[in-house]
């Protein structure tokens, strides 16, 4: 008697065959087949609902079945057809031709007429796996094509509206302003324009206990939202959250889609699309941020960063390089990115046996320099301290301790 595992799977890559591929139908067919046979018994049922046939390792029930096989509890697997086992040609063939035979596992695909014990239809099985693979490729292309047309028209085709908006209940392809979150978005832009760094804005929002966009979606909007890009352990507002909000043209009323694309229908890997190739349709919803403010933020972004790589580390510019010195040892203060400020380079390299940290927050130093410049009448109100300004007007800045700073003007 073969102890058989009934394996069923359904996912969106089944296209229009959803009903005939339903779990109930698969199980019914399998039960009937086992009942009619005289050398098989149904040992257990494994159901992966919502998992693509292109991958094996992420299917929990498939993995549980494989464990039961290794434990010796099962001697055979039965599926409705080969596509339920898998849709990816190479890996599916690998299971059928290498893994199962090596484990002495009988494999039956009812509708494809495959039974490894009687060696039935083995050549046909080869062809079927290839066919299933091609079918997936075709379905993925069809879904993509239909989506492209709608996205180009400015219809929102994804799951969750960006922070600051919510899906319009009367038209799920359009947005309405979510006033509570929109207020935070407006504040982020105005703080940025006022000279706050992205890290500084994040810190302030954390200090005030403002919910992050992910938390907000879950707690306030009641959405089942999981941010796949969020690193484990990362909590609260952070530089990337602010960066993304300050770059998102959606807040000016434009629908922005096609920002990244899947590299291949077989891989969960994405490529970033440059802005000029994205599908941007203006005037699709009420703006949260005026175009003027948005463009100002983009200009500041260009000035403050040298290499704003996508998702990568952004190098912090030190506008005071060469003129900011330690009041104790006379060496330079260097930019420390983690805490967003400056500290004595002697201390940084050699430790507290040689000098003290003299750490000063970037915001603090900027505001002192701004105030002193304005007092000196070197400039009118300054929105942001730039490298150009510093080189032109300042000879030397010496940092003693705390906020004790001496500025020598040219
Ligand atoms: Zn020092």
């Amino acid at each position: 008697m073969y102890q058989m595992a009934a394996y069923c799977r359904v996912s969106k890559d089944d296209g229009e065959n959803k009903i005939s591929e339903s779990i109930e139908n698969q199980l019914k067919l399998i039960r009937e087949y086992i009942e009619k046979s005289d050398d098989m018994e149904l040992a257990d049922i494994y159901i992966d609902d919502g998992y693509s046939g292109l991958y094996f390792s992420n299917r929990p029930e498939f993995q549980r079945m494989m464990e039961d096989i290794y434990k010796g509890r099962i001697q055979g697997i039965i599926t409705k057809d080969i596509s339920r086992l898998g849709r990816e040609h190479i890996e599916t063939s690998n299971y059928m031709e290498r893994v199962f035979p090596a484990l002495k596992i009988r494999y039956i695909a009812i509708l494809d007429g495959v039974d490894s014990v009687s060696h039935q239809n083995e050549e046909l099985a080869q062809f079927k796996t290839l066919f299933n693979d091609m079918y997936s490729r075709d379905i993925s292309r069809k879904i993509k094509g239909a989506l492209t047309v709608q996205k180009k028209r400015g219809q929102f085709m994804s799951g969750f509206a960006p922070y600051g908006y919510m899906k319009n209940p009367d038209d799920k392809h359009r947005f309405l302003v979510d006033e509570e979150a929109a207020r935070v978005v407006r504040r982020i832009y105005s703080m940025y324009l006022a000279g706050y760094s992205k890290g500084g804005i994040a810190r302030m929002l954390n200090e005030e206990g403002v919910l992050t966009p992910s938390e907000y979606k879950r707690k306030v909007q009641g959405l089942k939202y999981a941010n796949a890009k969020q690193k484990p352990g990362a909590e609260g507002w952070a530089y990337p959250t602010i960066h993304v909000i300050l770059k998102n043209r959606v807040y000016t009323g434009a629908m922005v889609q096609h920002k990244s694309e899947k590299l291949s229908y077989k891989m969960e890997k994405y490529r970033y699309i440059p802005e000029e190739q994205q599908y941007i349709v203006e005037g699709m919803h009420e703006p949260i941020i005026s175009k003027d403010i948005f463009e100002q933020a983009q200009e500041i972004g260009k000035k403050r960063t040298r290499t704003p790589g996508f998702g990568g580390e952004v190098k912090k510019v030190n506008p005071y390089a060469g003129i900011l010195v330690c009041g104790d040892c006379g060496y330079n203060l260097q930019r420390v990115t983690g805490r967003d400020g400056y500290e004595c380079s002697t201390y940084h390299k050699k430790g507290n046996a040689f000098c003290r940290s003299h750490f000063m927050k970037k915001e603090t130093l900027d505001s002192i320099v701004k105030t002193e410049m304005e007092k000196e009448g070197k400039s009118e109100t300054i929105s942001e301290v730039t490298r150009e300004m510093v080189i032109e007007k300042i000879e030397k800045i010496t940092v003693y301790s705390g906020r004790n700073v001496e500025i020598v003007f040219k």
Side-chain angles (χ1 to χ4, degrees):
M1 267 304 180
Y2 286 91
Q3 294 301 311
M4 298 297 287
Y7 181 73
C8 306
R9 186 187 64 78
V10 68
S11 87
K12 66 172 190 289
D13 60 14
D14 297 323
E16 279 136 32
N17 300 328
K18 269 252 159 88
I19 295 156
S20 68
E21 297 291 17
S22 75
I23 299 289
E24 293 73 33
N25 277 331
Q26 294 177 40
L27 262 180
K28 190 166 166 268
L29 192 73
I30 292 169
R31 282 185 200 280
E32 283 169 7
Y33 191 89
I34 292 182
E35 270 167 33
K36 275 182 213 150
S37 76
D38 44 19
D39 61 347
M40 286 186 277
E41 270 173 10
L42 185 57
D44 206 346
I45 296 167
Y46 304 83
I47 299 170
D48 279 320
D49 191 346
Y51 289 88
S52 167
L54 295 173
Y55 320 102
F56 287 81
S57 60
N58 68 349
R59 288 191 237 151
E61 283 287 282
F62 185 81
Q63 292 307 323
R64 184 170 74 88
M65 180 174 73
M66 290 308 292
E67 278 164 27
D68 286 346
I69 288 172
Y70 293 125
K71 286 177 195 155
R73 292 172 51 188
I74 282 154
Q75 291 96 46
I77 297 167
I78 181 163
T79 61
K80 173 178 159 280
D81 57 31
I82 297 170
S83 77
R84 297 305 92 199
L85 178 66
R87 283 197 184 280
E88 199 274 335
H89 175 53
I90 295 169
E91 208 166 349
T92 309
S93 302
N94 187 47
Y95 273 102
M96 289 171 63
E97 289 163 22
R98 292 192 188 86
V99 180
F100 296 159
L103 294 165
K104 306 228 177 340
I105 288 294
R106 179 178 185 179
Y107 176 62
I108 295 172
I110 303 169
L111 296 186
D112 291 324
V114 171
D115 186 340
S116 61
V117 162
S118 56
H119 296 283
Q120 262 181 57
N121 288 325
E122 284 182 331
E123 291 79 18
L124 183 72
Q126 285 262 358
F127 171 76
K128 269 306 264 203
T129 62
L130 190 59
F131 171 81
N132 289 335
D133 189 303
M134 285 160 71
Y135 170 88
S136 280
R137 198 186 306 244
D138 185 48
I139 282 286
S140 109
R141 203 181 294 132
K142 274 182 193 150
I143 293 174
K144 221 180 189 177
L147 280 176
T148 301
V149 175
Q150 285 166 303
K151 284 179 181 172
K152 280 183 173 166
R153 272 196 227 127
Q155 287 188 287
F156 184 65
M157 298 309 294
S158 307
F160 298 99
Y163 181 69
Y165 288 104
M166 55 182 144
K167 281 186 171 182
N168 186 340
D170 298 326
D171 178 358
K172 61 186 169 74
H173 302 299
R174 305 286 289 268
F175 297 152
L176 293 177
V177 173
D178 178 353
E179 203 41 57
E180 192 184 336
R183 267 198 297 276
V184 180
V185 172
R186 285 188 206 106
R187 227 181 115 206
I188 289 171
Y189 274 82
S190 64
M191 284 172 84
Y192 192 60
L193 261 56
Y196 280 87
S197 68
K198 289 168 190 170
I201 297 170
R203 264 195 304 282
M204 185 162 288
L205 294 173
N206 285 332
E207 275 162 25
E208 290 176 18
V210 177
L211 294 180
T212 64
S214 305
E215 290 167 341
Y216 184 79
K217 278 178 184 134
R218 281 193 298 264
K219 288 184 190 161
V220 181
Q221 296 186 321
L223 300 170
K224 283 181 193 154
Y225 181 81
N227 185 353
K229 285 175 193 153
Q230 196 177 323
K231 293 189 184 82
E235 267 167 38
W237 292 85
Y239 182 98
T241 338
I242 305 293
H243 181 73
V244 165
I245 289 174
L246 287 170
K247 294 281 282 184
N248 199 343
R249 206 170 279 281
V250 77
Y251 298 121
T252 66
M255 192 62 85
V256 184
Q257 290 180 103
H258 190 53
K259 290 191 208 170
S260 62
E261 72 181 356
K262 227 173 168 180
L263 281 172
S264 144
Y265 75 105
K266 283 187 184 180
M267 279 192 293
E268 288 293 338
K269 277 192 178 163
Y270 294 84
R271 163 180 97 85
Y272 174 68
I273 310 266
E275 197 174 33
E276 47 297 355
Q277 288 165 29
Q278 296 173 7
Y279 305 152
I280 301 175
V281 186
E282 304 276 353
M284 291 306 291
H285 43 258
E286 191 188 322
I288 292 176
I289 299 298
S290 75
K291 282 203 176 113
D292 182 43
I293 287 177
F294 182 81
E295 292 308 331
Q296 282 185 54
Q298 306 318 301
E299 283 306 308
I300 294 170
K302 277 180 214 158
K303 271 187 222 151
R304 285 193 199 165
T305 52
R306 270 190 208 129
T307 47
F310 176 67
E313 276 281 311
V314 176
K315 269 194 182 171
K316 298 275 171 67
V317 182
N318 179 359
Y320 307 104
I323 51 173
L324 186 65
V325 297
C326 171
D328 278 342
C329 70
Y331 282 91
N332 284 322
L333 260 69
Q334 68 182 72
R335 187 87 193 257
V336 280
T337 46
R339 288 191 292 163
D340 203 19
Y342 305 92
E343 88 181 344
C344 170
S345 56
T346 308
Y347 168 82
H348 192 84
K349 281 176 205 123
K350 299 180 182 171
N352 57 14
F354 294 86
C355 201
R356 286 176 299 140
S357 155
H358 295 273
F359 178 78
M360 179 162 281
K361 274 178 117 168
K362 180 185 180 297
E363 282 163 36
T364 313
L365 184 61
D366 281 357
S367 86
I368 293 171
V369 170
K370 264 187 236 176
T371 317
E372 289 305 308
M373 272 198 200
E374 284 166 19
K375 258 197 239 162
E376 282 285 314
K378 297 276 174 188
S379 182
E380 279 85 47
T381 326
I382 301 162
S383 64
E384 198 209 352
V385 180
T386 64
R387 175 72 180 159
E388 292 75 16
M389 222 182 261
V390 170
I391 292 178
E392 197 188 320
K393 289 163 184 156
I394 298 174
E395 187 77 50
K396 191 177 171 188
I397 305 171
T398 313
V399 176
Y400 294 98
S401 56
R403 285 165 171 263
N404 193 352
V405 170
E406 186 194 358
I407 301 177
V408 181
F409 287 98
K410 279 184 178 168

